[in-house]
Amino acid sequence: DACWALCYITDGDNERVDEVIKTGVCMRLVELMNHPCGNVQTPAVRTIGNMVTGSDHATQVVVDSGAIPILRGLLEHPKRNIKKESAWALSNINAGTQDQIQRVIDSKAIPVLMNMIATEEFSIKKELIWAISNATSGGSESQIEYLVQTGAITGLTSMADCHDVKIITVILEAFENILKAGQKDCINRGLPCNPYTEIMEQAGALEKLEDLQDHDNVQVYNRAVRILERFFSAEEVTNEITQPTVFDFATGFQ
């Protein structure tokens, strides 16, 4: 009951989260995420998830309390709601600073998230897509490269034709973030072309982008067109199809 009370209090603005953080209860809540009783574990996980929707400072307190390794372990919990809440919490941590994103990477949670996209039900997959997209939004070029190597493009592509417009928009944003990072990488390393355009073509993302030009939603249509025009010219697409390039990046999916 105490955990549920804290859950309801933290389900609000940052000021409410900060007031709970100030009490010093965070460490105990992190401990209770591993409680053997589901009636305790569930609200503890939910409260931690609420806390990391707050400020970067609130998120950092949660991270410093040791939440990330526990959340990573809970991704393999037998209960669906625990897996979903854990993925949601990690996605919110990935919306934080690059150091916080790195802590998630260091926990080895990213490969688990990628593999879950291929196996979990849609309600959980949505949280996984958010986790990837958030990391591409605030992550460094090296962190985005790690995401690509771990299978981000393939995972995102597998969901790009779902019926949830918001998720499609989130996927397109992630694609754009990845391609922007590749563009910077291309300039910094003096590469002949964006290293991620070929990977996206091989993963089937280019085909999905072309299909989204016929989408009923204007926002989806506009974003897909913008990505194609900015990163894939007609000549580039032709060259990629006739002269495919093999990359060493492991997509994580076969």
Side-chain angles (χ1 to χ4, degrees), residues 32-136:
L32 292 175
M33 289 199 298
N34 269 336
H35 197 280
C37 177
N39 290 340
V40 176
Q41 187 180 38
T42 297
V45 174
R46 175 76 65 83
T47 305
I48 289 296
N50 288 343
M51 285 179 166
V52 295
T53 65
S55 65
D56 287 342
H57 168 70
T59 300
Q60 192 61 47
V61 172
V62 172
V63 170
D64 290 341
S65 298
I68 291 177
I70 295 177
L71 289 169
R72 182 254 176 265
L74 292 176
L75 291 173
E76 299 175 287
H77 197 280
K79 291 186 177 179
R80 181 190 65 82
N81 68 310
I82 294 292
K83 286 194 286 189
K84 182 179 177 181
E85 296 284 354
S86 300
W88 175 63
L90 287 170
S91 74
N92 285 317
I93 295 173
N94 276 347
T97 66
Q98 290 184 0
D99 179 65
Q100 289 164 357
I101 294 171
Q102 190 60 46
R103 296 282 286 272
V104 175
I105 291 173
D106 292 342
S107 75
K108 309 298 182 185
I110 301 298
V112 179
L113 293 171
M114 299 299 182
N115 288 331
M116 288 173 69
I117 291 178
T119 59
E120 295 296 336
E121 61 182 70
F122 185 72
S123 64
I124 296 176
K125 287 182 178 181
K126 290 199 298 183
E127 303 301 339
L128 305 173
I129 292 298
W130 273 106
I132 297 171
S133 183
N134 286 343
T136 66

Side-chain angles (χ1 to χ4, degrees), residues 13 35 38 54-55 73 92 106-107 119 125 145 164 172 180 188 190-191 201 206 232 245 251:
D13 56 33
H35 197 280
S55 65
N92 285 317
D106 292 342
S107 75
T119 59
K125 287 182 178 181
E145 181 179 9
D164 189 318
L172 291 176
K180 284 178 181 177
N188 294 337
L191 302 174
E201 193 276 331
L206 179 56
F232 299 93
T245 305
T251 63

